[in-house]
Amino acid sequence: MKLTAPSYLILGMLRLGIRSGYGIKKAADVSTKHFWPMSLAKVYPELASLEDAGLIVRSDDPHGARSRHSYEPTEAGEQALLAWLGSLRDAPPHVRDERLLRLFFADALPRDDQLALLRRLRESDEAAAAWIRQEIVPLAGAAEQAGTRFPVAVARLSADIYSFAARWLADFEAELAAETRSTGNDR
Amino acid sequence: MKLTAPSYLILGMLRLGIRSGYGIKKAADVSTKHFWPMSLAKVYPELASLEDAGLIVRSDDPHGARSRHSYEPTEAGEQALLAWLGSLRDAPPHVRDERLLRLFFADALPRDDQLALLRRLRESDEAAAAWIRQEIVPLAGAAEQAGTRFPVAVARLSADIYSFAARWLADFEAELAAETRSTGNDR
DNA sequence: GGAAGCATGTAAAGTGTTACATGATTTT
DNA sequence: AAAATCATGTAACACTTTACATGCTTCC
């Protein structure tokens, strides 16, 4: 079995004490989603592969009549995670942002629409920053008490980047608006 | 035909005066790659679809004995691009960054490896910022003279974000290093 | 004359998501 | 009692990339 980023995401979540596939998906949605989204349909087959490879062990942990599997990393699983964390080669980040693509081609728009586009972009970055600070940072902050500090650091970094982008866009917006007023040229 | 982001990327590049499929790929690699990577194997079928939909027209433009197709947006193509640029619904950005995933789980590493990881991350962000400023901004800046200002703005925004992230990581690195020295605790 | 770049396209493979299918438990 | 949440898993589909296949032109 070839281990990929989702494999390590799951190994890492298990190491943090999360037990079920459903739990991993939920945790990922409020923590790693911004830089590594993952669907449930990815989690379950990946758990099965990791078990086949001997990196995790499964035990039954039903809740009443509702079935539940409890997974834990094996010694080999822990080692695989550590090896990946310490490995030197970094795959370059992979971003797909339709909003930036719009901005890139915004010269085709009349000035008013350019300003509206910039405003929407800024607002969505502001909303993302606010959401991370309100929903994610407090959760991760709780874990910080237990000596797990990197999740909260990553959440703060993400929020700060969104805020930085929002400020940048606000400045550009102001510059463009000022130009429009002084020249009266809407192109 | 359902138009997707790659369709508009191609329409937008054609509108900027790029003519061939190969040229579109090359231009995308030095401009939109950071927020919308695209392979040649995507470009050619997409051009064919856009032609079938009547949004672009193809003409032959051989260079000696080497065949070349020259594409141009039709009136309908221009309208489709403008409609997309002005449309209100934004698909949320989609990021996959294995480096941040590593950072998120870095609590599992000994302190020295944590610092090394932070340093690598910072250096790769610094390199990305430098690369954009040296390779992309000058190219886009040339177009700015011709009244095309958004490409250079997006390039500067990207570079500034990378620089901001690098500074943030440097601060965190310093904080962690200071702690280590004062406590002598390598965890 | 060779290497790098220009130029077009297809096929296979990989990766991941949405939708489907099912059912128990907890909260309102 | 209904709705939300917990929980597991599969099948079909969508999207993209890597590799393959080919050949001309320009630069060194």
Side-chain angles (χ1 to χ4, degrees):
Chain A
M1 170 197 194
K2 200 188 137 201
L3 297 180
T4 60
S7 321
Y8 296 112
L9 172 46
I10 288 176
L11 280 171
M13 288 295 183
L14 292 177
R15 192 186 161 277
L16 291 180
I18 293 157
R19 290 280 154 263
S20 71
Y22 184 87
I24 289 171
K25 162 64 173 163
K26 258 203 343 176
D29 278 349
V30 291
S31 55
T32 54
K33 193 194 193 180
H34 287 92
F35 44 91
W36 205 281
M38 196 176 48
S39 68
L40 260 181
K42 183 80 203 169
V43 173
Y44 290 114
E46 189 69 38
L47 280 169
S49 299
L50 288 169
E51 201 197 354
D52 288 347
L55 300 176
I56 60 177
V57 280
R58 172 164 89 165
S59 50
D60 281 328
D61 179 26
H63 199 233
R66 184 166 61 195
S67 82
R68 183 164 58 179
H69 304 319
S70 182
Y71 295 91
E72 253 181 300
T74 61
E75 181 57 33
E78 297 266 13
Q79 288 309 311
L81 180 64
L82 285 173
W84 172 72
L85 285 173
S87 81
L88 288 176
R89 59 157 177 51
D90 283 311
H94 188 284
V95 180
R96 286 219 134 88
D97 192 341
E98 197 171 334
R99 307 166 321 143
L100 282 181
L101 206 53
R102 275 212 186 85
L103 192 61
F104 184 87
F105 292 119
D107 286 296
L109 288 172
R111 181 58 55 93
D112 281 352
D113 290 354
Q114 292 177 347
L115 288 169
L117 181 55
L118 279 170
R119 196 182 59 244
R120 291 211 311 279
L121 234 71
R122 171 176 54 79
E123 284 168 357
S124 89
D125 281 355
E126 281 165 355
W131 187 77
I132 294 175
R133 289 206 181 90
Q134 282 157 36
E135 304 295 329
I136 299 185
V137 171
L139 284 177
E144 201 177 13
Q145 305 309 314
T148 304
R149 60 151 58 177
F150 280 89
V152 73
V154 172
R156 287 207 179 100
L157 170 58
S158 304
D160 289 350
I161 288 175
Y162 277 117
S163 292
F164 176 81
R167 280 196 303 277
W168 199 101
L169 291 166
D171 289 347
F172 189 39
E173 207 181 321
E175 196 187 307
L176 220 64
E179 258 179 46
T180 310
R181 277 193 298 278
S182 67
T183 68
N185 188 342
D186 85 331
R187 268 289 178 187
Chain B
M1 172 198 192
K2 200 188 137 202
L3 297 179
T4 60
S7 321
Y8 297 112
L9 172 46
I10 289 176
L11 280 172
M13 289 296 184
L14 292 177
R15 192 186 162 278
L16 291 180
I18 294 156
R19 290 281 154 264
S20 71
Y22 184 87
I24 289 171
K25 161 65 174 164
K26 259 202 343 177
D29 279 349
V30 291
S31 55
T32 55
K33 193 194 194 182
H34 288 92
F35 44 91
W36 205 282
M38 195 175 49
S39 69
L40 261 181
K42 182 80 203 167
V43 173
Y44 290 114
E46 190 67 40
L47 280 169
S49 300
L50 288 170
E51 201 197 355
D52 288 347
L55 300 176
I56 60 178
V57 279
R58 172 164 90 165
S59 50
D60 281 329
D61 178 26
H63 199 230
R66 184 166 61 195
S67 82
R68 185 165 54 179
H69 304 320
S70 181
Y71 295 91
E72 255 181 298
T74 61
E75 181 57 34
E78 297 265 11
Q79 288 309 312
L81 181 63
L82 285 173
W84 172 72
L85 285 173
S87 82
L88 288 175
R89 57 152 181 56
D90 283 311
H94 188 283
V95 181
R96 286 217 135 89
D97 191 343
E98 196 171 335
R99 306 166 323 144
L100 282 181
L101 205 54
R102 274 211 186 86
L103 192 62
F104 184 88
F105 291 120
D107 287 295
L109 288 172
R111 181 57 56 95
D112 281 351
D113 290 353
Q114 292 176 349
L115 287 169
L117 180 55
L118 279 169
R119 196 182 60 243
R120 290 210 312 278
L121 234 71
R122 170 175 56 77
E123 284 169 356
S124 89
D125 281 355
E126 281 166 355
W131 188 78
I132 294 175
R133 288 205 182 91
Q134 282 157 36
E135 303 295 327
I136 299 185
V137 172
L139 284 177
E144 203 177 13
Q145 306 309 313
T148 303
R149 61 151 56 176
F150 280 90
V152 73
V154 172
R156 288 207 178 99
L157 171 58
S158 303
D160 289 349
I161 288 175
Y162 278 117
S163 292
F164 176 82
R167 280 197 303 278
W168 199 102
L169 291 166
D171 289 347
F172 189 40
E173 207 182 320
E175 195 188 307
L176 220 64
E179 260 179 43
T180 309
R181 277 194 299 276
S182 68
T183 68
N185 189 341
D186 86 331
R187 267 293 181 191

